[in-house]
Structures are given as C-alpha cells and as structure tokens.
Amino acid sequence: MSLATRAARLVDDYLVGWVALAVGVGFAIPELGAVTAFSTPILAAMVGAVSLTLSVGAFRAVDRRALAVALVVQTGMVLAAFAVARLLGLGPALTVGFVVLGAVTPELVTPVMTELADGDTALASAVLVLVGLGSVALVPGAVTLLVGDAVAFDTLRIVRGLALAVVLPMVVAVGLRTRFPEQVGRYDQLYPSVAAVLVVVIIGGVTAENAGLVRAGGSQIGAVAVGALALNLGGYTAGWLASAPFDRPARIATTLSVGMRDFAVAAALVVSAGFPPAAALPAVAFGVIELVTSAGLARWFRRGL
C-alpha cells in the first residue's frame, strides 16, 4: 500500500473526527477565519476532485423515472429547510443559511456512500450532477423567493460563485473523466480523500469566522443543531418514501441523495456570496450530524435492513 493510499484511508476512515477537530480548532483560534477568503478556489478544487470520479457514460442506464422523483424530492428540500427555520423561530441570517443548505447539491461523496450501501451509484451520480448544474438558478431563486429583502445580498454574486466554484469544475472534471477514463481512473481512490481534506479546511475556517457568534449564541445554537438534525432525518425519510415504487438500490440512492446536503458547499457559498457570517452556522452543524448519520445509515443498508 502506497503512502498516498495510507494517507487517504486515514482521512476517509476518521472523517467525522477530522471535521470535529476542525470545528474545535476553528472555535479556539478565530484567526483561522482568514481561510474563508479563499473559499471559492477551495470549493472549486473540492467539487472538481470528486467530479473526476463521474462520467457521462455512467448515466445512460439510469432509470429516468427514479431520477425524476429524486430530483423533485431534492428540490423540495428547499421548502423543508425554510419550514424548519420558521418553526424554530430563527432570524433572517440563520434562515438564509438553512435555505442555502436545502438548495445546494447533495453531499459530493453521496455516490461513494451509495456504493458502500449497495445502492444505485449511477443514479446518485446523475442527481449530483444535475442538481449541481441547476443550483445556479435554484439557490439565488430560493433565497429571493423565501427570504426576500430580509437579508441584503447580490444575486449576481451568488450566480457567479456557483458558476465558478461548482458548475465549471464539475463540467471540466466530468469531461476529463469521459475523455480520458483510464488515465483519470487510476486515482479514483484518492479523489474523495482530497475533497475530504478540503472539507475539513473550509469547515475549520468557517467555524473560526463564527467563533464569536457561537460563544454568544446560547440557546440559538441549540436550535440550529435541532433544525439541522430535523432536516437531515427528514430528507432521508422523504427520499425513502418517495422512491417506494422503485427497486432497493434506487431507493438507497434517493434516500442518501436527498438526506445528505453538501454542507461544505453551503458554508463556502454563504461566505463567498457575502451573506452574514451567521448564515454559515446551519451548514457547520449539519456537517457534523450528517457525517455520523450517513455512515450509520450506509451500514444499515449494507446489512440488508
């Protein structure tokens, strides 16, 4: 086993711990918030790394009915996130954070997690790519419709950030994988690990930037954690129930795709788009919760339960 492979396994096997450590370090050293100044390139590298595992050919066998259902439920997570924030009585900044979290792509490693759970990896990959492309319209549209003038923001800045940090690297990476499958495929086991390292970096930076808010948050921070847990579990439940007409692999892929939100993309996006720093808190809370629940759920599915 090469040094790179051993390092990748160390990152992957203990990702929950690395994220928790990043949150702790960020909380203790607020100066690390300077990392968020580079959120767009970090996000682009993260999206590009995982997207190198995808190819156009992998999507051809996807059940289009299952894909349509997954996309509809996926889009509905925007409304679910908004409802959670309203029910908890959260302020405008935190509400924006939840709306963005509901509108972004599924977690970038959802196809990998789906494969580990014996699910339909091609379906999970198709949902990831299509939602990534559609996020350019969905994220600013959702914020405009659901939050309106409660928080000042620049729509063009959001679109530009998504185009540069999500859509462009995703399109380039999928194109490279499709054009040079053998060369790119040699390092498949490393791409998710590279993305995971960048997730740890951006979460640490966002936490550091919000360290003062966390200390002063009190019960509000608890409400954010409750909301993040509700959105995560609600997503799993909606995905599983909505995909009932399809086979088990498709249901697993839909469940994970809907319940797993890309918290790192959401955290980086709210920073790069100029939203209030507090808007990143839902993504940070969701990240820690999702990593724990998704790992447990994947093991549950793999055992045939």
Side-chain angles (χ1 to χ4, degrees):
M1 185 183 298
S2 67
L3 178 60
T5 301
R6 288 199 295 270
R9 291 191 62 177
L10 182 63
V11 171
D12 296 342
D13 291 347
Y14 300 100
L15 183 56
V16 177
W18 291 120
V19 170
L21 178 62
V23 171
V25 171
F27 184 73
I29 310 176
E31 292 78 11
L32 292 177
V35 168
T36 59
F38 307 96
S39 58
T40 297
I42 291 173
L43 183 54
M46 182 176 68
V47 172
V50 172
S51 297
L52 284 171
T53 63
L54 311 174
S55 68
V56 173
F59 305 149
R60 292 173 182 167
V62 171
D63 185 332
R64 294 185 180 181
R65 295 176 305 155
L67 177 60
V69 169
L71 291 174
V72 169
V73 182
Q74 168 74 214
T75 304
M77 289 298 287
V78 179
L79 297 176
F82 178 69
V84 165
R86 291 299 296 270
L87 287 172
L88 291 172
L90 301 179
L94 292 175
T95 299
V96 166
F98 270 102
V99 170
V100 171
L101 186 61
V104 296
T105 63
E107 172 61 51
L108 293 176
V109 296
T110 298
V112 177
M113 192 67 72
T114 300
E115 183 174 356
L116 293 175
D118 294 330
D120 188 336
T121 306
L123 175 59
S125 300
V127 173
L128 175 61
V129 170
L130 291 176
V131 175
L133 296 176
S135 64
V136 175
L138 182 60
V139 174
V143 173
T144 300
L145 291 174
L146 298 176
V147 183
D149 298 329
V151 175
F153 65 96
D154 184 345
T155 301
L156 182 59
R157 191 172 177 180
I158 300 175
V159 173
R160 183 172 60 246
L162 283 165
L164 293 176
V166 178
V167 176
L168 180 60
M170 184 175 285
V171 169
V172 171
V174 172
L176 288 173
R177 179 55 183 254
T178 302
R179 180 66 179 84
F180 307 104
E182 292 186 6
Q183 295 90 328
V184 175
R186 293 174 186 170
Y187 307 101
D188 274 357
Q189 60 184 344
L190 300 180
Y191 299 138
S193 303
V194 171
V197 170
L198 296 173
V199 166
V200 172
V201 171
I202 197 64
I203 289 299
V206 169
T207 302
E209 188 173 45
N210 286 280
L213 291 173
V214 173
R215 293 189 182 94
S219 61
Q220 194 171 44
I221 301 303
V224 169
V226 169
L229 179 61
L231 186 64
N232 180 224
L233 298 183
Y236 292 145
T237 302
W240 180 256
L241 294 177
S243 58
F246 309 108
D247 60 21
R248 182 177 176 83
R251 297 191 74 183
I252 291 173
T254 303
T255 299
L256 293 175
S257 294
V258 176
M260 296 178 68
R261 320 305 305 161
D262 201 311
F263 60 92
V265 170
L269 181 59
V270 297
V271 172
S272 64
F275 288 116
L281 292 178
V284 174
F286 191 93
V288 176
I289 291 168
E290 177 204 273
L291 288 171
V292 174
T293 61
S294 63
L297 191 58
R299 292 193 185 96
W300 178 279
F301 282 141
R302 193 171 182 83
R303 292 173 182 172
L305 301 174

